[in-house]
Amino acid sequence: HFAFEGLRTIQAPLLTLRRLVAFDRRGTMPLKLFATERRAERWIAALRADDVRRTGGSQRDVAETLFGASRVREDWVGPSDYLRSQVRRLLRFGDRMRSGGWSELLRDRDPE
């Protein structure tokens, strides 16, 4: 038995019920009923950057791992240091995640 009060708050419980029914019917979680996390690619890049650095890699090594050697050859030393800046930001973000900031990632998620 379910009781819903008010139309303003009904979306989240209905979505949960849809997921439960789909799981019961299929035996798997229905991916189409879960929003794609827009920030996941950045999270993964930051973790990969952190892995490279923790194994002794330089910022340039991080860039080559994430963006490819040819792009780094073309853009690493040039009029703009955008690629190096992006690597530094990803490394800082990876540090924060490893230091407990990972718990904040899902807390900031938009409600469905």
Side-chain angles (χ1 to χ4, degrees):
H1 298 277
F2 296 94
F4 298 105
E5 294 183 24
L7 293 177
R8 292 179 191 219
T9 60
I10 201 168
Q11 288 300 324
L14 281 179
L15 181 58
T16 301
L17 285 174
R18 283 189 199 108
R19 290 171 177 166
L20 178 62
V21 168
F23 180 74
D24 182 57
R25 288 182 183 159
R26 298 178 186 168
T28 61
M29 295 303 284
L31 295 180
K32 68 181 183 180
L33 292 178
F34 290 87
T36 302
E37 178 55 66
R38 299 178 316 269
R39 302 169 293 176
E41 285 186 31
R42 181 169 183 262
W43 298 346
I44 292 167
L47 291 172
R48 290 181 66 205
D50 189 65
D51 285 346
V52 171
R53 183 181 51 197
R54 289 172 57 88
T55 59
S58 65
Q59 288 182 3
R60 187 178 179 115
D61 294 330
V62 169
E64 288 180 1
T65 299
L66 297 177
F67 308 114
S70 62
R71 182 169 171 200
V72 172
R73 261 192 315 276
E74 294 171 12
D75 294 350
W76 192 252
V77 178
S80 170
D81 68 341
Y82 81 96
L83 201 55
R84 190 176 299 224
S85 293
Q86 188 172 357
V87 166
R88 285 192 296 257
R89 284 191 303 272
L90 287 169
L91 288 170
R92 281 193 305 269
F93 184 52
D95 281 340
R96 285 195 313 271
M97 286 198 316
R98 194 172 17 84
S99 300
W102 59 268
S103 63
E104 298 292 322
L105 296 179
L106 297 178
R107 197 172 301 149
D108 294 337
R109 188 164 175 173
D110 297 330
E112 296 178 17

